[in-house]
Structures are given as C-alpha cells and as structure tokens.
Amino acid sequence: MDEKRTMIKLENLNKSFGDLHVLKDINMVVKESDVVCLIGASGSGKSTLLRCLNFLEEKDSGHIWIEDEKIERSTHNINEIRQRVGMVFQHFNLFPHKTVLQNITEAPIHVRKINKVQAVQEARELLQKVGLADKENVYPNKLSGGQKQRVAIARALAMKPDIMLFDEPTSALDPELVGEVLATMKELAAEGMTMVVVTHEMGFAREVCDWVIYMHDGKIVEVGHPHEIFHEPKEERTKEFFNTVL
Ligand code: ADP
Ligand code: MG
C-alpha cells in the first residue's frame, strides 16, 4: 500500500514550439519525498518538461496537478504555485549585483513578505546548511561555480518550496566542483525533499534516485528503479542511450 501523498501528476502533457512537438503525451506521478531523475539525450525535452512544471512554459494541452490541485493559468495564481516549486538552473542565475545574503533574502522579503530580520536569519541557516556561512557578504563573481550553485540551491530553499526541480545543476561545473553540489542535493534528498533532477550524473541517479525516467524525442520511453533501468533496461532505446553515456 502506498500512502505517500502525490506531489506532481502530469496527464497527457503536450507542448510544441511552432511546428516542433517537444513534449508528447507525458504522463508521470511523483510522490512525496521521491527523488526522480530525468535522463535522455540533449533535445529530448527534459528542460521543457521542468519548465512546464514550474510554469515558466505554458503547456498546450494536458493537465498538471501540484499537490492534489489541478493547476490552470485561468484559475490559479501562478506566482503562488511557483513558490511551492523551487528551481535550480544549470547557469545558477544569481543576481550579480547582490551579495550572497541579498540573493537569498530578496524573494522571501518581496514575495513571501516576511520581515528582513527573519529573512536574514533564515538565509543564514540555509548558508550554514550548504556550507557557505562565511560567504554571506561576498558577491557572486568571487565564488567558484560549485559555491554559486550552492547559493542558488539555498536561494530556492528560502522560498520554502515543497518540490525542488534541478535542471542539470552540475553540467556547467568543473569536474572537481561537481561533488560538493551533489552532496548538498543528496542531503536534501535524505531530508525528504521531493525532487525532480535532470542530470547526466549516472552515479547520482544510481545512488540517490528512487525512480529514473528516460526520455527520448519528447516521450517517456521507460521508467524504472535505478537498479532495473541501469542493469536491465527493457527498451532498446534505453539500452542504446546507456551505451553512449556509460
Ligand atoms: P533537453 O533539455 O532535453 O536538452 P529541451 O527541452 O531544452 O531539451 O528542448 C527540446 C526541444 O525543444 C529542442 O529541439 C529545443 O531546440 C526546442 N526548444 C526548447 N525551448 C525552445 C523555445 N523556447 N523555442 C523553440 N524551441 C525550443
Ligand atoms: Mg535541457
């Protein structure tokens, strides 16, 4: 019996850019505290799927549920929904003219409307958590890529999201900096955060993910537990993909 709450549900989600049909009848369910890895070749639609989940892109058809609520632009305040779904991008997207602390407190003060003292206190706790307590007054250009990404994670967490989306969070990093970001994500997963992670880090997928979803050409080809999908992929497409990346 599965008593875990459903956090995300997609039903027949479709998205095109002009003539390009990028997401084709996507169905998926993510339960509370699940860590789902989304893998697939470049151009298969992984980022578009995450962006639809965070309402940065508008779906063409199909349905999206976030925590048991069917979300439509016509009936929902998308900014409110977005607070519940944090997102971390490949290129960090920090505000360059703000300090680390200001990067983290900006949205809680202006969007969550908490007072500055509380925002600063929460931001300091998050910086502690991601191992950057000594960097609060530093500007992003003084940080390594791994540190920037950990600030970006702290900034997303400052909105107290129920779900975190990661779009290739370590792809822009020098190899020696990948581990510190994955460690932060692993910790978050262990705390029970519901996460959808687009990644090429197969070690992370194997070790941390509850489910792996393999996408090809806008479709979900195969879903499985990491040990199933890595060792005994059922679909020919999945086998071919692993032959190229493993
Ligand atoms: P992935 O993240 O798996 O590499 P994407 O979701 O970024 O794939 O892209 C899927 C396809 O959609 C690609 O062919 C890409 O060029 C196209 N695409 C993505 N975003 C846009 C956009 N805003 N306008 C037009 N085409 C886009
Ligand atoms: Mg992408």
Side-chain angles (χ1 to χ4, degrees):
M1 198 168 59
D2 189 357
E3 291 176 0
K4 284 207 283 185
R5 206 153 62 100
T6 297
M7 300 299 280
I8 301 171
K9 187 167 115 182
L10 301 180
E11 192 180 275
N12 294 333
L13 192 78
N14 280 278
K15 172 72 184 171
S16 296
F17 294 109
D19 291 338
L20 189 65
H21 195 175
V22 175
L23 297 178
K24 301 169 182 169
D25 283 326
I26 299 289
N27 290 288
M28 78 187 240
V29 173
V30 180
K31 298 272 187 180
E32 186 164 28
S33 80
D34 274 0
V35 180
V36 174
C37 279
L38 204 51
I39 62 172
S42 173
S44 55
K46 306 179 299 296
S47 293
T48 305
L49 180 54
L50 285 198
R51 292 170 64 82
C52 285
L53 277 177
N54 198 31
F55 304 91
L56 292 169
E57 295 287 356
E58 196 166 358
K59 65 185 165 62
D60 294 333
S61 65
H63 302 290
I64 301 177
W65 281 261
I66 302 288
E67 300 176 83
D68 302 332
E69 231 184 308
K70 193 174 181 179
I71 312 297
E72 291 295 340
R73 261 172 206 273
S74 50
T75 52
H76 286 82
N77 176 351
I78 294 304
N79 285 328
E80 189 271 320
I81 305 299
R82 221 174 259 153
Q83 287 174 44
R84 286 149 54 183
V85 187
M87 188 145 170
V88 172
F89 302 88
Q90 185 176 351
H91 293 291
F92 331 123
N93 302 0
L94 296 177
F95 306 117
H97 55 289
K98 290 184 192 293
T99 65
V100 163
L101 195 71
Q102 288 164 345
N103 262 278
I104 299 173
T105 56
E106 169 81 13
I109 290 170
H110 293 105
V111 184
R112 266 176 66 213
K113 311 274 187 208
I114 64 173
N115 68 52
K116 196 175 165 204
V117 173
Q118 191 189 342
V120 168
Q121 188 190 327
E122 288 181 9
R124 286 189 174 138
E125 284 166 20
L126 287 166
L127 281 172
Q128 192 87 44
K129 183 187 170 79
V130 301
L132 294 172
D134 57 333
K135 300 289 185 201
E136 67 171 63
N137 293 319
V138 163
Y139 285 86
N141 66 0
K142 292 283 187 298
L143 298 175
S144 72
Q147 290 171 333
K148 280 182 201 161
Q149 195 58 299
R150 286 186 283 148
V151 172
I153 292 171
R155 184 178 61 172
L157 292 174
M159 293 304 283
K160 299 199 182 294
D162 299 321
I163 299 167
M164 284 282 283
L165 310 176
F166 293 85
D167 194 356
E168 301 199 27
T170 60
S171 295
L173 301 179
D174 291 334
E176 72 272 20
L177 303 177
V178 167
E180 64 193 58
V181 173
L182 294 181
T184 300
M185 292 166 65
K186 231 159 106 173
E187 210 178 292
L188 207 52
E191 287 169 6
M193 179 60 80
T194 305
M195 297 164 52
V196 182
V197 183
V198 175
T199 188
H200 296 292
E201 293 293 331
M202 295 300 153
F204 178 84
R206 270 210 190 91
E207 198 184 333
V208 183
C209 288
D210 299 295
W211 296 99
V212 177
I213 296 179
Y214 171 62
M215 278 183 77
H216 177 77
D217 194 20
K219 289 189 213 120
I220 292 179
V221 173
E222 188 163 351
V223 180
H225 288 290
H227 55 94
E228 295 167 351
I229 203 160
F230 286 112
H231 300 295
E232 302 164 46
K234 293 188 184 67
E235 303 293 330
E236 209 49 49
R237 276 272 176 220
T238 318
K239 284 180 202 164
E240 282 169 27
F241 176 73
F242 285 140
N243 283 339
T244 62
V245 297
L246 293 182

